[in-house]
Amino acid sequence: MIYDDLRSFIARLDEFRELHRITKRVEKDGELSAICRENFDRAGPALIFEAVGDYTTPLVTGVLGTNERYARALDIEPSIPAITEKWNQAYRHPIPPKVVARKDAPCKEVELTDIDLYGEPFPVPKWHPLDGGPEIGTLHAVITLDPESGWINVGTYRNEIFNKDTIGCYVLPNRHDALHFYKWRERGEPMPVCVALGLDPYITLASASAVPLGINEYDIAGGLKGAPIDVVKADLSDLLVPARAEIILEGEMPIDDFWPIEGPFGEFPGIMGTVVKPSHYIKIKKITHRRKPMFQGTLEGRPPSESTTVRSLCRSAAMFEHLRRAGLPGIKDVSITPMGCAGFHCVVSIKKIYHGQVRDIFGHVWGHPTLFAKHCIVVDEDIDPWNPLLVEWAIATRVQADRDVEIVKNGKSIRLDPSQVPSMRGWSALMGIDATIPHEWYERDGEKFPAFTDPLPEEMEKVRKQWGSYGFER
Ligand SMILES: Cc1cc2nc3c(=O)[nH]c(=O)nc-3n(C[C@H](O)[C@H](O)[C@H](O)COP(=O)(O)O)c2cc1C
């Protein structure tokens, strides 16, 4: 089963009772976010708020809020190995998008004649009590173009509403939209930008993932879908936008003019971020949407959340791909853990092949151009990096701190890590833990690492196969 748009995915979730419709009127600011927070903590279903204040458009959230729904989006069994395999396949076999005619693009069905981002028809929440303003782009796609190579980038960069036709764009200096911005600035021209809201799950996942430099996220989204993504040329620029998105905003980012302040915004580590002064902004010149549109957004904040689920799995796949492209042998699996805020903690499982392999992995994990896993743990292939219990067991039984822990001072970080004091924002100590079996050290002492206590693998396999026969339900 593949999904051409958000609507078809929602219909599927409904079929599997993974969607809940809230028909009661809820307040856009405050009440709606509190419901989302409680729902995340209960690992609840996707939600459609059908009556948000006096707005006519429903708000959809949480469609990718659990690993099960993430797997459902990819039409695979709900397991992390299956998700990893699907991502690997998408990177191996990207599928370019298909450009459709404007008349065949539902996102062009209706044009808003009067642009007022605060008013009808879109219910844009102020997601956190201390936010600087309502945030229209939270789980969406910001589309930009490299004016030299034609490379189109699709990334999830938040958009605060500044006034009725102006939005912010939280651009970090090494993100791909920033790289495009620098090129437009060199040319002396404003950067065309489109913002697509209400997306099929493949575009959402590719947009939020650290897809390598120069690769079009639409190709990776196509690889995840197993079919091309329909795109349509934007009305005001050469950008290609998802043809079946619910809403498209078209505008321009000035290169020499800035908005005085952006934020603060409730951030993924569960803290309020600092304000950006001054900030990039996008002047919105045109808005089109589908008939009876849906507005999609998500509550950012501490894990667990939809954002954590999306980022943890997407980034793990992206880091895996980064290590593969670097030519590092023996990599078995990678987990950017959800409770490490889907960013700070990376666990890599390996088949140990050569001396120094673990140090090479530390270096490449810390050297990822846009990810920021300050703590990297390397385990043997018998440890599932997604299982925190086994990872802790490996640390307890295979690590000597003075031998196996490496600390690097003044490494790269992001400014949103609250463990770092303000004067050191953007810098971080990096810690690598080699939690692999210390075979070399045992050999030096003329011995072998002790044997394990687990039953024989063939016994385990046999028992697993006939588990039901012992009277267990599953
Ligand atoms: C819900 C959500 C919100 C995000 N918000 C931002 C943001 O505001 N700014 C940013 O730089 N990255 C943000 N990210 C992470 C980026 O989308 C991610 O790093 C992506 O790889 C960026 O695209 P790029 O690799 O093409 O630069 C967010 C991710 C998610 C899932």
Side-chain angles (χ1 to χ4, degrees):
M1 177 95 191
I2 57 176
Y3 310 104
D4 285 328
D5 49 21
L6 177 63
R7 295 171 184 208
S8 50
F9 184 43
I10 284 175
R12 184 77 168 165
L13 294 179
D14 213 0
E15 211 178 291
F16 283 87
R17 306 171 75 86
E18 292 175 62
L19 177 78
H20 178 65
R21 291 174 193 277
I22 299 181
T23 49
K24 180 174 185 258
R25 183 184 184 282
V26 299
E27 290 302 326
K28 175 172 76 65
D29 300 337
E31 186 182 8
L32 184 142
S33 296
I35 295 169
C36 292
R37 182 66 267 163
E38 184 68 12
N39 191 49
F40 286 149
D41 287 338
R42 293 171 185 239
L47 301 176
I48 297 187
F49 292 92
E50 293 190 338
V52 184
D54 295 327
Y55 289 82
T56 49
T57 305
L59 185 149
V60 182
T61 188
V63 293
L64 292 161
T66 60
N67 289 0
E68 289 70 27
R69 289 202 287 282
Y70 195 113
R72 170 112 32 233
L74 301 176
D75 199 30
I76 51 178
E77 64 161 91
S79 77
I80 289 175
I83 291 172
T84 307
E85 179 47 34
K86 190 74 182 182
W87 268 105
N88 289 345
Q89 200 185 306
Y91 279 119
R92 270 335 66 72
H93 306 289
I95 299 177
K98 185 173 110 200
V99 183
V100 302
R102 194 180 191 285
K103 67 176 178 35
D104 298 323
C107 69
K108 301 282 179 192
E109 281 168 352
V110 181
E111 182 175 340
L112 268 190
T113 41
D114 182 23
I115 299 180
D116 178 5
L117 295 170
Y118 294 113
E120 271 280 82
F122 312 128
V124 183
K126 191 172 152 191
W127 292 94
H128 317 91
L130 299 177
D131 279 358
E135 204 80 30
I136 193 165
T138 48
L139 192 60
H140 65 312
V142 175
I143 300 140
T144 56
L145 174 86
D146 180 332
E148 287 167 11
S149 68
W151 160 41
I152 286 188
N153 187 66
V154 182
T156 309
Y157 314 109
R158 73 167 187 249
N159 307 112
E160 178 185 336
I161 299 179
F162 288 156
N163 71 21
K164 68 191 201 43
D165 63 352
T166 311
I167 60 175
C169 190
Y170 185 62
V171 181
L172 294 172
N174 57 354
R175 291 282 197 256
H176 294 164
D177 64 339
L179 305 185
H180 288 178
F181 176 81
Y182 305 143
K183 292 199 176 173
W184 286 96
R185 194 173 55 189
E186 268 170 34
R187 291 165 78 101
E189 293 173 42
M191 177 164 79
V193 185
C194 286
V195 176
L197 303 158
L199 300 167
D200 73 48
Y202 320 105
I203 303 176
T204 304
L205 295 178
S207 175
S209 188
V211 170
L213 188 80
I215 294 182
N216 183 332
E217 277 83 359
Y218 289 136
D219 295 11
I220 302 300
L224 289 172
K225 184 180 182 184
I229 301 288
D230 283 355
V231 292
V232 63
K233 196 184 109 32
D235 288 336
L236 307 180
S237 68
D238 289 333
L239 291 169
L240 296 173
V241 298
R244 305 185 72 86
E246 293 292 324
I247 302 160
I248 301 288
L249 316 181
E250 294 195 40
E252 270 182 2
M253 182 181 285
I255 50 168
D256 48 9
D257 192 34
F258 298 88
W259 205 259
I261 186 166
E262 192 262 2
F265 181 61
E267 284 291 355
F268 70 90
I271 48 120
M272 291 304 297
T274 47
V275 292
V276 179
K277 278 184 182 176
S279 161
H280 292 280
Y281 71 85
I282 304 168
K283 197 79 184 162
I284 302 299
K285 301 193 164 170
K286 183 163 191 170
I287 300 182
T288 60
H289 62 81
R290 293 178 72 148
R291 265 180 232 114
K292 295 200 170 167
M294 286 187 271
F295 176 72
Q296 185 183 16
T298 204
L299 176 72
E300 190 56 274
R302 70 164 165 81
S305 69
E306 180 175 28
S307 169
T308 324
T309 305
V310 168
R311 283 181 295 108
S312 170
L313 293 160
C314 292
R315 286 181 167 165
S316 301
M319 183 63 88
F320 205 147
E321 181 65 10
H322 168 73
L323 299 177
R324 194 189 69 81
R325 284 178 187 234
L328 294 177
I331 308 291
K332 292 292 171 186
D333 202 355
V334 178
S335 167
I336 305 269
T337 67
M339 292 311 288
C341 302
F344 295 127
H345 293 171
C346 178
V347 187
V348 183
S349 65
I350 63 165
K351 180 177 181 57
K352 258 218 262 188
I353 300 171
Y354 63 93
H355 176 72
Q357 189 178 356
V358 172
R359 291 320 191 251
D360 280 352
I361 292 166
F362 291 160
H364 281 87
V365 166
W366 294 330
H368 189 286
T370 55
L371 298 182
F372 46 87
K374 62 177 176 177
H375 298 155
C376 177
I377 303 169
V378 179
V379 293
D380 294 292
E381 59 184 319
D382 63 325
I383 303 294
D384 175 2
W386 291 94
N387 184 335
L389 305 178
L390 288 181
V391 172
E392 186 176 353
W393 174 61
I395 293 174
T397 58
R398 303 177 188 186
V399 172
Q400 277 295 305
D402 59 348
R403 184 191 63 203
D404 299 318
V405 176
E406 190 168 319
I407 292 176
V408 176
K409 286 187 176 170
N410 298 325
K412 174 191 77 168
S413 178
I414 52 160
R415 299 180 61 83
L416 291 170
D417 177 353
S419 69
Q420 194 57 282
V421 295
S423 61
M424 288 298 288
R425 292 263 158 80
W427 299 94
S428 177
L430 309 173
M431 177 171 65
I433 302 179
D434 178 351
T436 59
I437 298 173
H439 288 299
E440 317 84 80
W441 292 87
Y442 264 82
E443 277 162 21
R444 283 184 203 193
D445 280 3
E447 285 200 23
K448 284 196 164 153
F449 193 77
F452 293 113
T453 54
D454 271 1
L456 294 172
E458 51 273 29
E459 287 295 339
M460 291 301 300
E461 194 52 35
K462 197 170 85 190
V463 163
R464 279 186 194 123
K465 273 196 189 133
Q466 55 191 37
W467 196 242
S469 72
Y470 302 113
F472 295 112
E473 278 179 15
R474 56 181 197 94

